[in-house]
Each structure stands twice: as structure tokens, then as C-alpha cells.
Amino acid sequence: MGSKIKGLFHTVEEILHELKRQEEESDENISDYDPDETCSETDDVLLLNQEDQDGIYDADDMDEDVGLSYVKEESKKEERRFELGKDLETVWTDKPLVSKSENTTETRFKKHHVGPKGGAKGLLEERKLFDLFITNEMIEPIVTHSNKEMEKISSRLGTKQYYTSPTDTLEIKALIGLLYISAIFKKSGLSSSDMFSPIYGPPIFRSAMTKNRFDLLLRVLRFDDKETREDRKATDKFAAFREMWEQFQKNCLKYYTPSENLTVDRTLLSFRGKCPFKAYSPIRRDKCGLMTISMCDAMTFYYLGGVPYIKNEKSKGDLPKAAQYVLELAQPFVGSGRNITCDSWFSSFELVDELLRNKLTMVGSLRKNKQQIPPSMMLENSTRFLYHPDKMIVSFSPQCNKHELLISSKHFTNEINRDTSKPKIVEYYNSTKGGVDVLNKLCRDKTTRKRTRR
């Protein structure tokens, strides 16, 4: 520019007036511009003293309608500190590594229309809704395999009985319906004699079928071909129910769109019979049972899928087995930008990285033995935040003997709720971690479990 600037400006009006004057002068002399011309000495001084000018005025006070572009630089840069994890490889810093515009939840999530979809949209009749999830294609194999077992039992009896005739699709649906009603009335623990009693039992049981028929159907109920089961069990211990399990989960995903927040946790279905992969958990109400890794919508608690937990099952990759369960359940939602909340049994730094590659985020609690965590995060009575380019960890210890350690690839700020004195990431984790817990409560309160191996 050809103008000479004497000294520095002290008000916003002086700065705007000088910028406008230089712009007008530049437009007038643009035809005389020589690219080889060097800046004057005064211009050199102005460029060298640019940092000093930034401390004199605040660019936020300037009028946005002026239409002039400017660059705001911090006059004083805060000193950034770095820490190493216990593995002496993972580097953390105490300042966020992303801009504030990227910190908001809206910029890191896609919005989804939560609710029923497809054939379930607008449907209110219970029977039609039931047929969407337990279809005739699922019932027909049950009828076929159960009738085979019925023939074997009938041949062992000395005389033919009235209750040993082959079953059909309608009767199997009636059997499932009676089991659901027993769960609603909380009478599934009663013996069949009490359930079909004309004095104590509900009339609907006696109206559907006789006691002998009910007991026989539970005895012969089969979900797969018994003749080929042993061959399939050599590679899959869950072979007796695998086909039904997968079809039901496909139907669950087919007719519902979940929210942006998903939860993964363990579910223990009460069972004390003989099973090669029966689990035991002393901290749960039903200590023995069949354990599955379940995924639910954190907002509506809708069941989205599950993986049977089978002991001593071979791992399919280098990741921990718990992380592989989460990745398997997350496959239908790859690229959707959803968040998965899980507890310390699943959470790991490897899982966070793998989910990010699939365009999914994760919030979870961490165990203190992770080698990527710096030793300084173990301090009590303190709240600390450390950042990585694509994740952050927070240590929250409001009092002695109470310490929470969380990891998140969704949050990148150190916001704290002034009313509760808790970090926002801790409140988010508490609000989204209970999706599967509600499912467990419903399964326990409305169980259809009977004395049968099936």
C-alpha cells in the first residue's frame, strides 16, 4: 500500500476508517501496481508490530456488517503441558486439540428419526405387531422339529393318547401366548397343575388347551434339527437356537430406528439347567443363567441385538473378546455417527480407535490398569481432563475411595455442571448407561421361564 501510517491506532473507529481509506486508495491505484515494488520502511514496521496491535483492540467489538476480513490472534498464548501414559508411548495434553465449533454434539452426530419404520409404522394391533417379530417362517421349523419329537414319544406309549396328535402353527402361537400371559400375571413359577387349576388358575389357560397337552408341548419343543445338531455344535455351541436367534434380531432391526445413543451391556437370563456355557455372576439377582451381550437404545430401551456369551470361545482377531462383541453389535450402524456407551468390561483404547474408523463414537468407564493412562489421573479428590487428537479421558474423584475414570471420543471440552459439580461427560455417561439395565429388569419381572431345557 502507498499510504504512510504514523503510530498505532487506539480505537475501533480509527482502525475501520484507516482500513476503508486504504481499500479505496488501493482500488484507485490498482492499474499502477508493480509486483516488483517492495514495501516501504513504514509498512515493514507495521508488519513487525502487528502482534503489539492485537493487544490494543478486541476484534469481537467490530461491526460484522462492515464486510472486512480480519484475523484475530491471541495476545497471550496459554502454555500447553504434555504427559505420557504408563506405556511411555501415548501422549496426552491438558488443552483441547480441536476448535470450539467441533466440540458441540450437533457437529459430531447425525440426526435420526427415532421410532417404528416399515411395516410397524402406525401399527397398533398387538397380534399384528407380534407377527412382525415372531413370523410364520420362524414358527414353521418349530412345528416340523417338534412333530418329529412328538412321534418318538408317541411310539413309546403303550396306547395312543388324545394329547399326542401333531401340532401346527396356530397351536405353537397359542403356547407362546400362554407363556407370555403367565409372565404378565407373574405365575410362570407355578406348576402346570396350579396354572390349569379350576380354582386357582386363570380361565384362559384351560380355554386354550389341556394341562397334559401343555406339558407335552413344552417337552417336545425343538428349534432345530436334532439329527444334525452335533455336527453344528462342533463349530457353534449355540447351534440349538442359533437360527431362531438371528432371525429374531433381524426383525428387531428391521422395524425400528434407534436414537443417536446406544448402550451395550451384559444380560443374564435366569437358568439353572444343564448348559455348557452357563454363566455365574454373584453380584446379580439371578446368579446363574445364560449370559448375552445386548445392545439397546439408551433413550427408549428398545432391544437391537445380542451376542451369546460362550466361555472359552476362540477370538476372531487381535482385539480383546469384549471389544469384538461391541464391534459385532455395531455393524448395522456403521457410518451412522451414533454413540455407544459401555462399562469398563468392554471399554479400551483399541475399541475407541476401531469405532472411530467405522464413524462411531464411544463413551465408557475405564479400568485403572490400562497402560495408556498417565499416573497423574489416579489422584483422589480432584477432577482432571487430558486430551488426545481423537479422544479424551477424565478423572473424577469427588471424595476419598470414590473414583471414576471415563474415556470419550465424543466430548472434547472440560465443561462442569455448576449445580452438581460433575463434569458433563460424567452426567452423559450416567444418563445413557442404563439402556440394557432396563431390559434386564423387564426380562426378570416378566420372565416366561418354565421347568424345561428349552
Side-chain angles (χ1 to χ4, degrees), residues 168-224:
D168 55 16
T169 301
L170 184 61
E171 190 177 33
I172 293 297
K173 287 185 177 181
L175 175 65
I176 297 174
L178 290 180
L179 293 174
Y180 271 115
I181 290 176
S182 68
I184 294 172
F185 292 159
K186 295 189 175 181
K187 296 182 179 295
S188 60
L190 294 177
S191 64
S192 58
S193 298
D194 292 333
M195 291 174 61
F196 286 85
S197 171
I199 300 175
Y200 305 107
I204 190 171
F205 289 97
R206 300 188 301 277
S207 301
M209 62 183 68
T210 64
K211 170 186 171 299
N212 290 336
R213 183 66 172 178
F214 180 82
D215 291 338
L216 181 63
L217 288 177
L218 289 181
R219 181 180 176 184
V220 303
L221 199 63
R222 296 292 185 275
F223 301 97
D224 69 325

Side-chain angles (χ1 to χ4, degrees), residues 81 129 230 241 251-252 360 385 399 429 447:
R81 294 183 301 174
L129 286 169
E230 293 301 323
F241 197 66
N251 294 337
C252 290
L360 296 170
F385 299 86
Q399 59 188 21
Y429 174 76
T447 178

Side-chain angles (χ1 to χ4, degrees), residues 108-125:
R108 301 184 64 80
F109 276 85
K110 297 179 182 179
K111 295 299 181 181
H112 303 276
H113 298 287
V114 183
K117 64 179 180 180
K121 194 171 184 179
L123 198 60
L124 299 177
E125 298 182 29

Side-chain angles (χ1 to χ4, degrees), residues 2 40 124 144 251 314:
S40 62
L124 299 177
T144 302
N251 294 337
K314 292 184 179 180

Side-chain angles (χ1 to χ4, degrees), residues 1-7 9 18 21-22 25 37-44 46:
M1 299 180 186
S3 61
K4 302 288 184 178
I5 301 177
K6 297 181 180 181
F9 302 102
E18 180 62 24
R21 188 186 65 79
Q22 293 181 19
E25 185 175 318
E37 183 181 357
T38 59
C39 296
S40 62
E41 296 178 359
T42 309
D43 291 333
D44 292 339
L46 175 64

